[in-house]
Amino acid sequence: MDQDLPSVGSSAPCLLDLVRDRLRLKHYSLRTEQAYVGWIKRYIIHQGRRHPTDMGKREVEAFLTSLAVERDVSAATQGQALSAILFLYREVLEQPLPWLDEVTRAKRPARLPSVMSREEVQRLIAAVDDPLVNLIVALLYGTGMRLLEGLRLRVKDLDFARGEIVVREGKGDKDRVTMLPGSLAERLRAQLSVVRALHAAELQAGRGEVWLPHALATKYPAAGKSLGWQ
C-alpha cells in the first residue's frame, strides 16, 4: 500500500503521491503513470523499504540487475524500470544519478514481428459478438488508434465531411489526425444516434456531464453537458 512507503518528511505526502503529481504536471499518460509508480514501489520494497534519498547508484544497479538475472525480464521491461527510477531521482527528488554502467542488461532479442493477414483480421473482428465492442475493434484496426484513444473518442472529433478523426492527447500528449474509414462511416453515424438519444435522456435526468481535460470545465462551464464532448 502507498501509505506503507516512505514520505519526504513526517508531515509530507506519500512519496508516490509526489511522483503522480509530477507525472501529471508533465502530462504523462495514465498508463505511464501506473507503470512508473509500480516500478518505483517495487524498487523501494526490493531495498527493504528504505527511502530513495538514502540510496543511490549501487542500490539502483542492484535492483535493475536483479530484474535481468533473477526475474529474467525483457530488455524493454528493464528499460521501463530504469526510466521510472531515473524520473524519480531527476524530477521528484532532484538528485540526478551518475551513469549506471554496472547494470547487467537484459538481452534485446532480434525477432521478426508476427503480422496478421487481412483475412485473419477480418475473421477476428467478425468473432466479436458485442456490436459496440466490434465497432471499437474495427475502428482501431482501420485508424491505427491505440486502445485508450479509441475509448476516449469524443463526438466533436469525428469529421465525416473530411473523412478524418482528430485524436486528442495521444502518446506524448500530442494531437494528430487519422483517417475515418469509409466502411465504418454508417456504423459510426448509427452509434452517434444512440449517443445522442442516451445523452438527451441523461440530461433530462439531471446528469449527462462528462469530464473535461485541462480545467476546461472552469473556462467553459456548460461544455461538459454539450453533445460534442460526449
Side-chain angles (χ1 to χ4, degrees):
M1 299 295 291
D2 288 7
Q3 56 265 34
D4 298 327
L5 297 176
S7 299
V8 293
S10 58
S11 60
C14 172
L15 176 64
L16 296 184
D17 289 335
L18 297 176
V19 174
R20 293 186 184 98
D21 289 344
R22 188 63 179 171
L23 285 163
R24 293 173 188 178
L25 178 65
K26 297 181 76 67
H27 301 293
Y28 279 68
S29 72
L30 177 60
R31 292 289 178 87
T32 301
E33 175 185 320
Q34 293 170 339
Y36 276 25
V37 169
W39 282 118
I40 291 169
K41 187 185 299 185
R42 293 185 191 97
Y43 166 58
I44 293 172
I45 292 174
H46 182 269
Q47 298 296 343
R49 297 180 183 274
R50 295 163 59 196
H51 196 284
T53 55
D54 298 327
M55 300 185 284
K57 181 175 183 287
R58 182 170 60 85
E59 288 81 6
V60 173
E61 288 175 343
F63 173 66
L64 295 173
T65 298
S66 74
L67 293 179
V69 175
E70 298 171 16
R71 294 185 54 185
D72 195 27
V73 302
S74 68
T77 299
Q78 188 191 45
Q80 186 185 67
L82 173 59
S83 296
I85 294 172
L86 289 178
F87 183 90
L88 169 67
Y89 280 97
R90 290 173 179 172
E91 299 291 340
V92 180
L93 301 177
E94 298 182 349
Q95 296 179 2
L97 292 175
W99 179 250
L100 303 175
D101 54 0
E102 298 178 12
V103 175
T104 299
R105 300 280 182 173
K107 290 186 178 180
R108 190 177 298 274
R111 294 195 180 101
L112 294 175
S114 297
V115 181
M116 298 175 67
S117 68
R118 183 174 181 179
E119 291 73 21
E120 289 174 326
V121 172
Q122 289 174 338
R123 291 202 302 271
L124 174 63
I125 296 175
V128 180
D129 296 329
D130 185 286
L132 180 56
V133 177
N134 183 284
L135 175 59
I136 293 171
V137 173
L139 194 60
L140 297 183
Y141 174 68
T143 64
M145 289 191 295
R146 298 174 179 86
L147 176 59
L148 288 183
E149 293 171 348
L151 294 175
R152 292 172 175 171
L153 195 61
R154 310 266 187 165
V155 172
K156 67 180 182 62
D157 296 327
L158 298 175
D159 190 334
F160 290 96
R162 291 177 175 269
E164 296 177 347
I165 295 175
V166 180
V167 179
R168 305 287 184 184
E169 297 180 283
K171 188 172 183 179
D173 197 33
K174 297 177 181 178
D175 295 348
R176 70 179 190 279
V177 176
T178 186
M179 69 184 76
L180 192 159
S183 60
L184 297 178
E186 289 307 312
R187 294 181 62 188
L188 284 170
R189 286 192 174 95
Q191 177 61 25
L192 286 179
S193 298
V194 173
V195 170
R196 190 176 291 108
L198 177 62
H199 182 51
E202 288 287 298
L203 290 176
Q204 286 187 343
R207 299 186 294 268
E209 186 169 4
V210 296
W211 174 83
L212 300 180
H214 304 312
L216 285 178
T218 302
K219 189 174 182 179
Y220 305 107
K225 291 188 176 181
S226 66
L227 177 64
W229 282 97
Q230 306 302 308

